[in-house]
PDB file of all heavy atoms in Angstrom:
ATOM      1  N   ARG M 334      18.628 -10.502 -31.007  1.00 96.00           N
ATOM      2  CA  ARG M 334      18.402  -9.071 -30.940  1.00 96.00           C
ATOM      3  C   ARG M 334      19.759  -8.282 -30.901  1.00 96.00           C
ATOM      4  O   ARG M 334      19.776  -7.172 -31.476  1.00 96.00           O
ATOM      5  CB  ARG M 334      17.497  -8.710 -29.688  1.00 96.00           C
ATOM      6  CG  ARG M 334      16.238  -9.395 -29.643  1.00 96.00           C
ATOM      7  CD  ARG M 334      15.216  -8.808 -28.684  1.00 96.00           C
ATOM      8  NE  ARG M 334      14.748  -7.495 -29.174  1.00 96.00           N
ATOM      9  CZ  ARG M 334      13.908  -6.726 -28.514  1.00 96.00           C
ATOM     10  NH1 ARG M 334      13.369  -7.276 -27.397  1.00 96.00           N
ATOM     11  NH2 ARG M 334      13.408  -5.642 -29.038  1.00 96.00           N
ATOM     12  N   MET M 335      20.742  -8.795 -30.250  1.00 96.00           N
ATOM     13  CA  MET M 335      22.030  -8.128 -30.301  1.00 96.00           C
ATOM     14  C   MET M 335      22.585  -8.028 -31.644  1.00 96.00           C
ATOM     15  O   MET M 335      23.141  -7.068 -32.094  1.00 96.00           O
ATOM     16  CB  MET M 335      23.042  -8.890 -29.326  1.00 96.00           C
ATOM     17  CG  MET M 335      22.695  -8.755 -27.841  1.00 96.00           C
ATOM     18  SD  MET M 335      23.588  -9.897 -26.809  1.00 96.00           S
ATOM     19  CE  MET M 335      25.308  -9.330 -27.114  1.00 96.00           C
ATOM     20  N   HIS M 370      15.739  -3.018 -32.362  1.00 94.00           N
ATOM     21  CA  HIS M 370      16.763  -3.770 -31.591  1.00 94.00           C
ATOM     22  C   HIS M 370      18.015  -3.019 -31.414  1.00 94.00           C
ATOM     23  O   HIS M 370      19.009  -3.492 -30.996  1.00 94.00           O
ATOM     24  CB  HIS M 370      17.053  -5.124 -32.296  1.00 94.00           C
ATOM     25  CG  HIS M 370      15.856  -5.861 -32.760  1.00 94.00           C
ATOM     26  ND1 HIS M 370      15.054  -6.567 -31.936  1.00 94.00           N
ATOM     27  CD2 HIS M 370      15.200  -5.919 -33.905  1.00 94.00           C
ATOM     28  CE1 HIS M 370      14.047  -7.160 -32.586  1.00 94.00           C
ATOM     29  NE2 HIS M 370      14.050  -6.648 -33.827  1.00 94.00           N
ATOM     30  N   PHE M 371      17.988  -1.613 -31.756  1.00 93.00           N
ATOM     31  CA  PHE M 371      19.109  -0.861 -31.855  1.00 93.00           C
ATOM     32  C   PHE M 371      20.012  -0.963 -30.645  1.00 93.00           C
ATOM     33  O   PHE M 371      21.234  -1.149 -30.601  1.00 93.00           O
ATOM     34  CB  PHE M 371      18.710   0.615 -32.092  1.00 93.00           C
ATOM     35  CG  PHE M 371      19.907   1.610 -32.304  1.00 93.00           C
ATOM     36  CD1 PHE M 371      20.469   1.608 -33.505  1.00 93.00           C
ATOM     37  CD2 PHE M 371      20.189   2.428 -31.296  1.00 93.00           C
ATOM     38  CE1 PHE M 371      21.619   2.555 -33.682  1.00 93.00           C
ATOM     39  CE2 PHE M 371      21.240   3.337 -31.436  1.00 93.00           C
ATOM     40  CZ  PHE M 371      21.950   3.376 -32.677  1.00 93.00           C
ATOM     41  N   GLY M 372      19.385  -0.756 -29.437  1.00 93.00           N
ATOM     42  CA  GLY M 372      20.115  -0.727 -28.130  1.00 93.00           C
ATOM     43  C   GLY M 372      20.880  -1.972 -27.878  1.00 93.00           C
ATOM     44  O   GLY M 372      21.929  -1.996 -27.145  1.00 93.00           O
ATOM     45  N   TYR M 373      20.273  -3.121 -28.296  1.00 95.00           N
ATOM     46  CA  TYR M 373      20.902  -4.425 -28.041  1.00 95.00           C
ATOM     47  C   TYR M 373      22.314  -4.566 -28.624  1.00 95.00           C
ATOM     48  O   TYR M 373      23.163  -5.367 -28.151  1.00 95.00           O
ATOM     49  CB  TYR M 373      19.967  -5.560 -28.455  1.00 95.00           C
ATOM     50  CG  TYR M 373      18.807  -5.645 -27.545  1.00 95.00           C
ATOM     51  CD1 TYR M 373      17.593  -4.951 -27.778  1.00 95.00           C
ATOM     52  CD2 TYR M 373      18.724  -6.584 -26.450  1.00 95.00           C
ATOM     53  CE1 TYR M 373      16.499  -5.076 -27.072  1.00 95.00           C
ATOM     54  CE2 TYR M 373      17.615  -6.655 -25.659  1.00 95.00           C
ATOM     55  CZ  TYR M 373      16.499  -5.887 -26.028  1.00 95.00           C
ATOM     56  OH  TYR M 373      15.381  -6.011 -25.192  1.00 95.00           O
ATOM     57  N   GLY M 374      22.501  -3.729 -29.673  1.00 94.00           N
ATOM     58  CA  GLY M 374      23.825  -3.861 -30.337  1.00 94.00           C
ATOM     59  C   GLY M 374      24.938  -3.331 -29.528  1.00 94.00           C
ATOM     60  O   GLY M 374      26.088  -3.559 -29.671  1.00 94.00           O
ATOM     61  N   PHE M 375      24.657  -2.589 -28.350  1.00 93.00           N
ATOM     62  CA  PHE M 375      25.689  -2.027 -27.512  1.00 93.00           C
ATOM     63  C   PHE M 375      26.015  -3.147 -26.434  1.00 93.00           C
ATOM     64  O   PHE M 375      26.978  -2.911 -25.665  1.00 93.00           O
ATOM     65  CB  PHE M 375      25.249  -0.756 -26.922  1.00 93.00           C
ATOM     66  CG  PHE M 375      25.161   0.338 -27.935  1.00 93.00           C
ATOM     67  CD1 PHE M 375      23.834   0.688 -28.420  1.00 93.00           C
ATOM     68  CD2 PHE M 375      26.118   1.093 -28.387  1.00 93.00           C
ATOM     69  CE1 PHE M 375      23.741   1.779 -29.338  1.00 93.00           C
ATOM     70  CE2 PHE M 375      26.074   2.090 -29.246  1.00 93.00           C
ATOM     71  CZ  PHE M 375      24.885   2.375 -29.785  1.00 93.00           C
ATOM     72  N   LEU M 376      25.112  -4.093 -26.165  1.00 93.00           N
ATOM     73  CA  LEU M 376      25.291  -4.945 -25.014  1.00 93.00           C
ATOM     74  C   LEU M 376      26.458  -5.871 -25.281  1.00 93.00           C
ATOM     75  O   LEU M 376      26.580  -6.474 -26.334  1.00 93.00           O
ATOM     76  CB  LEU M 376      24.059  -5.830 -24.779  1.00 93.00           C
ATOM     77  CG  LEU M 376      22.711  -5.057 -24.454  1.00 93.00           C
ATOM     78  CD1 LEU M 376      21.640  -6.010 -24.080  1.00 93.00           C
ATOM     79  CD2 LEU M 376      22.880  -4.032 -23.397  1.00 93.00           C
ATOM     80  N   TRP M 454      18.751  -0.474 -19.257  1.00 94.00           N
ATOM     81  CA  TRP M 454      18.336   0.586 -20.255  1.00 94.00           C
ATOM     82  C   TRP M 454      18.100   1.916 -19.659  1.00 94.00           C
ATOM     83  O   TRP M 454      17.563   2.140 -18.577  1.00 94.00           O
ATOM     84  CB  TRP M 454      16.992   0.161 -20.932  1.00 94.00           C
ATOM     85  CG  TRP M 454      17.062  -1.166 -21.512  1.00 94.00           C
ATOM     86  CD1 TRP M 454      16.510  -2.363 -21.073  1.00 94.00           C
ATOM     87  CD2 TRP M 454      17.801  -1.545 -22.758  1.00 94.00           C
ATOM     88  NE1 TRP M 454      16.754  -3.412 -21.882  1.00 94.00           N
ATOM     89  CE2 TRP M 454      17.622  -2.907 -22.898  1.00 94.00           C
ATOM     90  CE3 TRP M 454      18.650  -0.808 -23.632  1.00 94.00           C
ATOM     91  CZ2 TRP M 454      18.126  -3.596 -23.992  1.00 94.00           C
ATOM     92  CZ3 TRP M 454      19.078  -1.454 -24.618  1.00 94.00           C
ATOM     93  CH2 TRP M 454      18.999  -2.853 -24.805  1.00 94.00           C
ATOM     94  N   ASP M 458      15.116  -0.673 -24.546  1.00 92.00           N
ATOM     95  CA  ASP M 458      15.476  -1.316 -25.786  1.00 92.00           C
ATOM     96  C   ASP M 458      16.262  -0.495 -26.811  1.00 92.00           C
ATOM     97  O   ASP M 458      16.734  -0.998 -27.860  1.00 92.00           O
ATOM     98  CB  ASP M 458      14.288  -1.836 -26.601  1.00 92.00           C
ATOM     99  CG  ASP M 458      13.490  -2.934 -25.846  1.00 92.00           C
ATOM    100  OD1 ASP M 458      14.100  -3.509 -24.820  1.00 92.00           O
ATOM    101  OD2 ASP M 458      12.282  -3.175 -26.062  1.00 92.00           O
TER     102      ASP M 458
END
Side-chain angles (χ1 to χ4, degrees):
R334 300 195 74 175
M335 289 169 62
H370 314 282
F371 184 79
Y373 288 87
F375 295 99
L376 300 185
W454 304 110
D458 295 342

